[in-house]
Amino acid sequence: MTLAVRDAGLRELMDDPACDPARLRRTLQRFGLVNRAVSCWDGVHRSQLRPFFAGLGRPARVLDIGCGGGDVLRRLVQLARRDGFVVEAVGIDPDPHAIAVAKRADFMPGVAYRQVLSQSLVQEGERFDAVISNHLLHHLDEVSLAGLLYDSEALSSGISLHSDIARGRVAYGAFALLAAPVAMGTFVWVDGLRSIRRSYTRAELAAVLPDGWRVDSPGTFRLLACFDHTSTHRSPSDRG
C-alpha cells in the first residue's frame, strides 16, 4: 500500500448497497464526533461563511450536498444563528439511510432534508446563497466530480465550499491511531483509512478543478475547494 498515488479504485464499505444497515446507521451517527474532530468547519465558518453572511444583509439559504446524517449542516446553522444570522438550510443525499438518520437527529427549525440529487435541484430552479459538501469529493469519479462542481455553480448565487481530506502519511497514521476508540460497531475506521487513500493532495485537487475555483487549506490534513460567485462573473453554461 502506498499513499504516493491516489487510489481512486478503492471502494469504501459504506458505499456497498448490500452493507449492514445497522452498522451503516451507527456509522452515520458517529460521524458527528469524527467531523467535529477533523473537518475544521468551525474555522471555515469563521473565515468564510461568517463574513459572507454578514455581507448579505438578509436571511441566507444554505445547501449541503451529500449531507449524510446532517451533523455538519446542523453545526454550521448553529454557529451562524449564534452569531445572529438568520439561516435556513437544506441537506440532500441520494441514500435513504442517510436521510433517515438526518431526520431522526435533534430537530432544528429551518433545517430540512431531502432524498434527491443536486442535478434535480438544478432542474427545479432552486437557488441558495451557499453550497457546501463534506468528505464528498473523494467519493466521486471524474465525471461525477465535474457534475457536482457544475451543479454547485448553478445552485449558488454566493459561495461554494467543498471540504475534504488532504492525502498524506501523517494523516493516515494519525487517523489509524486516534479513530479506533470511536469506531467500534461502525465502518468509521476502515472507511476512514480508505477515504484518505482515495483523497487528493492539494496539487491534485487544484489540477481537476475548473477555472474560477481555488483550493484552500483550512486546517491540518484538510482541503477546501472554493468558488465565489459574487466575484466570478461566469454562468455554468459558459463551461460548455
Side-chain angles (χ1 to χ4, degrees):
M1 188 271 293
T2 177
L3 291 168
V5 178
R6 180 174 181 250
D7 193 348
L10 186 63
R11 190 178 194 184
E12 295 181 33
L13 299 179
M14 65 182 296
D15 290 336
D16 183 350
C19 72
D20 179 4
R23 198 173 182 188
L24 175 60
R25 182 184 68 253
R26 290 193 295 268
T27 300
L28 291 164
Q29 293 168 336
R30 202 68 52 83
F31 279 158
L33 292 173
V34 175
N35 287 327
R36 284 292 295 273
V38 306
S39 294
C40 299
W41 278 105
D42 284 34
V44 173
H45 168 73
R46 289 191 298 269
S47 64
Q48 305 266 5
L49 290 169
R50 184 163 62 189
F52 172 71
F53 292 149
L56 276 181
R58 57 171 174 77
R61 294 190 78 209
V62 178
L63 173 68
D64 183 358
I65 301 176
C67 66
D71 60 281
V72 168
L73 185 60
R74 290 189 296 273
R75 176 61 178 169
L76 291 177
V77 171
Q78 179 186 49
L79 291 171
R81 291 176 177 173
R82 184 181 298 171
D83 288 337
F85 302 114
V86 178
V87 176
E88 292 188 355
V90 177
I92 64 171
D93 201 294
D95 187 342
H97 299 287
I99 294 300
V101 169
K103 288 183 174 181
R104 282 197 297 265
D106 292 341
F107 173 73
M108 181 175 285
V111 179
Y113 304 98
R114 294 180 60 187
Q115 184 187 338
V116 68
L117 293 168
S118 57
Q119 66 187 68
S120 296
L121 297 188
V122 174
Q123 293 166 0
E124 294 172 12
E126 283 275 19
R127 295 286 279 177
F128 299 84
D129 297 296
V131 173
I132 70 163
S133 76
N134 183 67
H135 291 171
L136 178 60
L137 303 184
H138 71 266
H139 283 273
L140 305 177
D141 60 27
E142 183 177 349
V143 173
S144 297
L145 176 61
L148 169 70
L149 300 176
Y150 177 94
D151 291 347
S152 295
E153 293 187 35
L155 290 166
S156 175
S157 59
I159 56 176
S160 292
L161 303 169
H162 297 286
S163 179
D164 214 329
I165 308 157
R167 191 181 76 251
R169 291 187 177 277
V170 177
Y172 191 90
F175 188 88
L177 179 64
L178 299 176
V182 300
M184 185 176 298
T186 74
F187 299 124
V188 167
W189 193 81
V190 172
D191 278 2
L193 295 176
R194 292 187 179 190
S195 291
I196 295 170
R197 292 169 61 185
R198 284 187 56 93
S199 295
Y200 296 89
T201 64
R202 181 167 185 162
E204 288 169 347
L205 183 56
V208 299
L209 293 178
D211 292 342
W213 288 79
R214 72 178 191 278
V215 181
D216 288 349
S217 295
T220 307
F221 318 131
R222 302 299 303 176
L223 300 175
L224 191 69
C226 310
F227 188 90
D228 186 345
H229 304 253
T230 63
S231 63
T232 305
H233 304 291
R234 174 169 60 90
S235 68
S237 61
D238 293 335
R239 291 174 53 196

